[in-house]
Amino acid sequence: MSDLPTLPVTFRPGSTRVVLLTAAVAVFVVITAVAMSLQQLSPGERVSFVFTALLLDAVLLLLARPKVVADEDGVTVVNLTNKRRLEWAEILQVTLRPGDPWVFLNLSDGTSLPALGIQPGLARQRAIADARALRSLAEARSVPDRERP
């Protein structure tokens, strides 16, 4: 089990996150600059430009939010609008099949939870490595304490 990552570990789509955060800054700067440079706009119209930039940034920041945090006690899955805490024993399987947009966690209650924090979008090899690491952790941690070496 020496190939297991050291806990706690956070998995998140790094490249995608950098692109989204950079785009958020660029959107805000460009729209605000346009609002301030157009002389014919009233102060209210300028404020509406900046408000629109903030709304667009909020969407981009929401898209940059997903992550999967694994620690000694379990896994926290943070998706776009929700966050769920799982015990290791609840995770039966970690899957990332070809064509999947992100990892899926098959749970002991018969449901499947998407984990958007590991997605092959811009960094496929990293997503595959992260999925394997999470799978290894889930397999190692799902063993009852009395059976652990």
Side-chain angles (χ1 to χ4, degrees):
M1 285 197 207
S2 62
D3 60 337
L4 294 176
T6 304
L7 296 176
V9 62
T10 300
F11 303 105
R12 65 175 16 140
S15 300
T16 302
R17 185 172 164 84
V18 167
V19 168
L20 290 168
L21 295 177
T22 303
V25 170
V27 163
F28 184 77
V29 168
V30 168
I31 292 177
T32 301
V34 168
M36 298 307 152
S37 66
L38 293 175
Q39 299 302 320
Q40 70 270 25
L41 295 180
S42 70
E45 290 171 325
R46 286 192 174 122
V47 169
S48 72
F49 267 69
V50 174
F51 182 72
T52 301
L54 290 172
L55 286 176
L56 292 171
D57 277 4
V59 171
L60 292 171
L61 294 174
L62 192 64
L63 292 172
R65 183 175 183 245
K67 65 181 175 180
V68 177
V69 180
D71 60 33
E72 293 292 335
D73 299 320
V75 174
T76 302
V77 177
V78 179
N79 287 331
L80 297 180
T81 59
N82 62 355
K83 179 178 176 178
R84 184 162 174 198
R85 178 73 183 165
L86 302 165
E87 300 297 322
W88 285 112
E90 293 180 80
I91 302 171
L92 300 179
Q93 189 178 30
V94 177
T95 61
L96 178 62
R97 297 175 303 233
D100 280 351
W102 40 71
V103 161
F104 288 91
L105 305 178
N106 295 328
L107 306 178
S108 59
D109 65 2
T111 63
S112 182
L113 176 68
L116 279 63
I118 303 174
Q119 51 183 268
L122 296 177
R124 181 164 189 70
Q125 293 308 315
R126 176 168 177 196
I128 290 169
D130 288 351
R132 286 182 179 147
L134 184 59
R135 181 181 303 125
S136 296
L137 284 168
E139 289 170 356
R141 299 280 173 184
S142 66
V143 176
D145 288 336
R146 63 183 180 281
E147 296 180 24
R148 283 195 194 149

